[in-house]
């Protein structure tokens, strides 16, 4: 009886093993960063975000330069003004800096929200394109390139997807 059970288990094992080995899953990979950087819509989004980011940096830099100049001017008045007048100027300046920091944080948050929204829209559209591509090419799995240790370059569909996005 034990021998029959053992033989049966071995038979089931080999049957399962051969079916696993015979199953040919079509697995490909994609480089999402490459697609974002090389597709027309991805380039447009990145360019717009870059322009906004650079404008913000310039504005922050010029405002910080003005604040630094004002701080230095107030320091120069320390020995000239009465202590009360000097402290009033310092308090007003600190309020100005606090207001600037709040505005800066608000602008940065607004930029981050815009960036997230734009990238979400891009990747949602990309997802729809990849779903159609998967069905048309009988692909069962698409993996992000950054999660792969090693794979044949023929399994990279990034350029195919870029062509579809650019249509």
């Amino acid at each position: 009886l034990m021998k029959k059970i053992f033989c049966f288990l071995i038979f089931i094992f080999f049957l399962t093993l051969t079916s696993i080995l015979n199953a040919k899953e079509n697995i490909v990979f994609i480089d999402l960063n490459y697609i974002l950087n090389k597709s027309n819509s991805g380039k447009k989004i990145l360019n717009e975000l870059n322009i906004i980011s650079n404008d913000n940096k310039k504005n922050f830099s010029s405002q910080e330069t003005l604040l630094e100049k004002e701080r230095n001017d107030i320091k120069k008045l320390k020995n000239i003004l009465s202590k009360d007048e000097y402290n009033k100027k310092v308090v007003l300046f600190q309020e100005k800096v606090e207001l600037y920091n709040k505005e800066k944080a608000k602008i940065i948050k607004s930029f981050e929200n815009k960036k997230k929204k734009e990238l979400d829209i891009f990747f949602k559209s990309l997802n729809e394109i990849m779903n159609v591509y998967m069905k048309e090419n009988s692909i069962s799995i698409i993996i992000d390139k950054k999660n792969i240790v090693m794979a044949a370059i023929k399994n990279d569909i990034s350029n195919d997807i870029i062509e579809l996005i650019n249509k």
Side-chain angles (χ1 to χ4, degrees):
L1 180 66
M2 195 66 132
K3 192 173 184 180
K4 285 184 182 182
I5 293 174
F6 181 72
C7 287
F8 179 72
L9 289 175
I10 294 223
F11 174 73
I12 296 294
F13 174 74
F14 280 113
L15 187 64
T16 308
L17 183 64
T18 54
S19 66
I20 290 171
L21 292 175
N22 287 334
K24 293 198 174 184
E25 294 290 325
N26 197 1
I27 300 172
V28 295
F29 65 92
I30 193 167
D31 188 340
L32 295 174
N33 286 331
Y34 177 76
I35 290 173
L36 179 63
N37 287 307
K38 298 298 180 186
S39 65
N40 293 338
S41 55
K43 285 180 195 176
K44 183 180 175 206
I45 291 168
L46 292 176
N47 190 39
E48 288 172 1
L49 291 173
N50 221 11
I51 289 169
I52 294 169
S53 177
N54 287 337
D55 287 347
N56 287 344
K57 286 176 187 174
K58 285 178 190 173
N59 289 335
F60 295 151
S61 179
S62 66
Q63 287 180 336
E64 287 167 8
T65 301
L66 291 173
L67 288 172
E68 185 68 27
K69 183 185 178 313
E70 187 175 340
R71 188 177 84 193
N72 289 334
D73 291 345
I74 291 172
K75 278 184 180 180
K76 290 176 187 174
L77 298 173
K78 185 174 186 174
N79 295 328
I80 299 171
L81 297 175
S82 70
K83 191 171 184 175
D84 285 346
E85 285 182 50
Y86 177 74
N87 286 339
K88 284 179 188 174
K89 286 200 177 286
V90 168
V91 167
L92 286 173
F93 177 73
Q94 288 171 340
E95 289 171 359
K96 199 178 210 180
V97 169
E98 204 172 297
L99 183 66
Y100 164 74
N101 285 334
K102 285 180 183 175
E103 274 301 308
K104 182 178 178 181
K106 196 166 124 182
I107 291 169
I108 290 171
K109 185 176 181 182
S110 172
F111 172 75
E112 290 301 321
N113 288 339
K114 180 174 179 56
K115 179 179 173 183
K116 182 184 180 325
K117 181 182 170 194
E118 293 291 324
L119 292 177
D120 284 351
I121 291 169
F122 174 81
F123 284 114
K124 184 178 180 193
S125 169
L126 174 62
N127 205 18
E128 291 168 7
I129 290 169
M130 289 191 311
N131 276 325
V132 170
Y133 186 87
M134 279 180 74
K135 288 175 187 161
E136 289 176 355
N137 293 284
S138 302
I139 295 171
S140 53
I141 299 174
I142 298 178
I143 301 172
D144 187 3
K145 185 177 182 178
K146 68 181 175 192
N147 296 320
I148 295 178
V149 175
M150 194 179 300
I153 196 73
K154 68 179 176 138
N155 294 336
D156 186 351
I157 61 166
S158 301
N159 287 322
D160 298 342
I161 298 296
I162 288 175
E163 286 178 27
L164 292 173
I165 291 173
N166 289 344
K167 281 186 178 179

